[in-house]
Amino acid sequence: MEKIKIAQIGVSHEHASAKMATLLRMTDVFEVVGVVDDSATTAAKFASGLEVFDGMRRLSLNEALRYPGLQGVVVEVPNTELVPTALRCMEQGLPMHLDKPAGEDPALFGRLLDGCRSRGLPLQMGYMFRGNPAFQFCLKIVREGWLGDIFAVEADMNHSYGGEAYQEYLGRFRGGIMFNLGCHLIDFVVAMLGAPEQVTPFLKSTPEVAPHIRNNCLAVLEYPYATAVLRCCSRECQAKRRLKISGTRGWVELSPLERFDQEALLLRMALAEDRPGYKAGLHVLDFGVRRDRYLEQMEEFAGLIRGEIRNPYSYEHDDLVEKVLLAASGYTRWS
């Protein structure tokens, strides 16, 4: 099978270098024709690991968009430039992997979705838990009713990396860390529970930073019989990110949410009654040693480009996630 010609637009997104590293490992799937170097941008960014781009062919944006035989793009520009850049890719009819979050303007993102829908263009959002097997297992068993009726979801994206530079970076977004990192959790909760009845944000700052730096945030998503409480803080010592889903017939708990330290990713599960392959009681599920956060998503993207699969996440889902995110990050009011 011929390799897919692909270009990466941007080196400045937080995920840009790791995403490129994944593409370069997939030598039997992708031919990376070049990268658009946006490192001179003045937009809020927190880039690292730029050595992965050493020696790579540099393209202007126009050159990339018109590259002969190009079959797809990976958009990795800073958060506030993602959707404007994606609109240009859409106008050229290019399937795209678009990193998160989908900007601060829901109308602009809606325009992108409408354009992709009308053209039948694959648009894969870069919410990183979509490729996480433990998260996907949780989605499956909730949808199949293993846990009964869900009444509580608790999750966090806490961390302590980045130092003072990261705090200043967060201060460039009105929605702070909830906008920047909470989006990953919101994508998952919306996929699991759908549209909430209410979204309430609590956007706080830790004591030692300027008040405009929202680095300690919480959002509550309310459902008819459930609440989802999502936390994001960039000052938690020895943070160990966590997810717990509780239902009337069982619960699951994952902590850490992902790991790449040669240790297996483990999920704890309690069941009130037998389920296929599992007896009632407590179980520890082993999802093996994980080495690449983005491999599954990039494999899926290849399938979307080739027309071998349908996107498991609809345009409508991505639109809903964006609306919930902006409400959870204080940009809009939920109604």
Side-chain angles (χ1 to χ4, degrees), residues 76-87:
E76 295 291 331
V77 296
N79 290 344
T80 55
E81 297 183 346
L82 286 165
V83 176
T85 303
L87 283 166

Side-chain angles (χ1 to χ4, degrees), residues 63 81 90 96 99 103 130-131 177 181 183 221:
E63 286 172 336
E81 297 183 346
M90 177 267 289
M96 71 191 90
D99 221 315
R130 292 185 180 186
I177 196 170
L181 293 185
C183 56
L221 280 55

Side-chain angles (χ1 to χ4, degrees), residues 172-279:
R172 301 280 296 277
F173 308 117
R174 271 179 54 201
I177 196 170
M178 183 59 68
F179 174 73
N180 192 44
L181 293 185
C183 56
H184 295 295
L185 298 175
I186 289 170
D187 178 64
F188 174 73
V189 172
V190 168
M192 181 170 58
L193 299 179
E197 292 183 329
Q198 187 56 260
V199 179
T200 307
F202 299 86
L203 308 179
K204 302 294 185 180
S205 309
T206 54
E208 78 290 355
V209 300
H212 73 280
I213 298 174
R214 306 301 192 182
N215 67 343
N216 180 27
C217 299
L218 178 146
V220 180
L221 280 55
E222 297 180 51
Y223 291 88
Y225 303 104
T227 54
V229 179
L230 311 179
R231 296 179 182 273
C232 300
C233 181
S234 62
R235 290 297 205 193
E236 181 166 310
C237 180
Q238 300 295 314
K240 194 175 181 183
R241 293 171 174 175
R242 174 177 176 266
L243 166 71
K244 186 175 183 183
I245 305 168
S246 300
T248 55
R249 307 301 297 163
W251 54 260
V252 290
E253 185 171 27
L254 180 64
S255 182
L257 303 182
E258 54 182 359
R259 62 190 314 164
F260 305 100
D261 59 356
Q262 307 305 310
E263 296 290 334
L265 180 65
L266 303 177
L267 174 75
R268 296 172 66 230
M269 175 174 69
L271 297 173
E273 56 196 53
D274 294 354
R275 297 296 181 181
Y278 299 92
K279 297 290 187 181

Side-chain angles (χ1 to χ4, degrees), residues 104-163:
E104 298 174 307
D105 183 346
L108 195 64
F109 185 56
R111 183 179 149 200
L112 174 66
L113 291 174
D114 289 343
C116 289
R117 185 186 291 110
S118 66
R119 292 167 171 81
L121 279 180
L123 173 65
Q124 182 191 62
M125 291 299 302
Y127 296 117
M128 65 193 190
F129 297 135
R130 292 185 180 186
N132 184 308
F135 273 80
Q136 295 311 303
F137 178 82
C138 291
L139 274 182
K140 174 182 180 293
I141 65 171
V142 167
R143 289 168 177 170
E144 293 178 0
W146 288 27
L147 305 183
D149 295 320
I150 303 303
F151 58 81
V153 179
E154 306 163 64
D156 76 68
M157 288 290 287
N158 297 347
H159 69 81
S160 59
Y161 60 71

Side-chain angles (χ1 to χ4, degrees), residues 274-296:
D274 294 354
R275 297 296 181 181
Y278 299 92
K279 297 290 187 181
L282 184 65
H283 301 269
V284 177
L285 284 68
D286 186 334
F287 290 92
V289 175
R290 304 276 296 156
R291 293 183 172 84
D292 192 320
R293 175 191 281 168
Y294 304 111
L295 178 62
E296 288 87 353

Side-chain angles (χ1 to χ4, degrees), residues 304-324:
L304 293 173
I305 291 172
R306 289 178 171 143
E308 297 168 345
I309 59 172
R310 294 184 61 182
N311 195 334
Y313 295 89
S314 67
Y315 302 117
E316 292 75 19
H317 169 82
D318 290 340
D319 185 47
L320 178 58
V321 169
E322 171 71 356
K323 289 173 179 173
V324 174

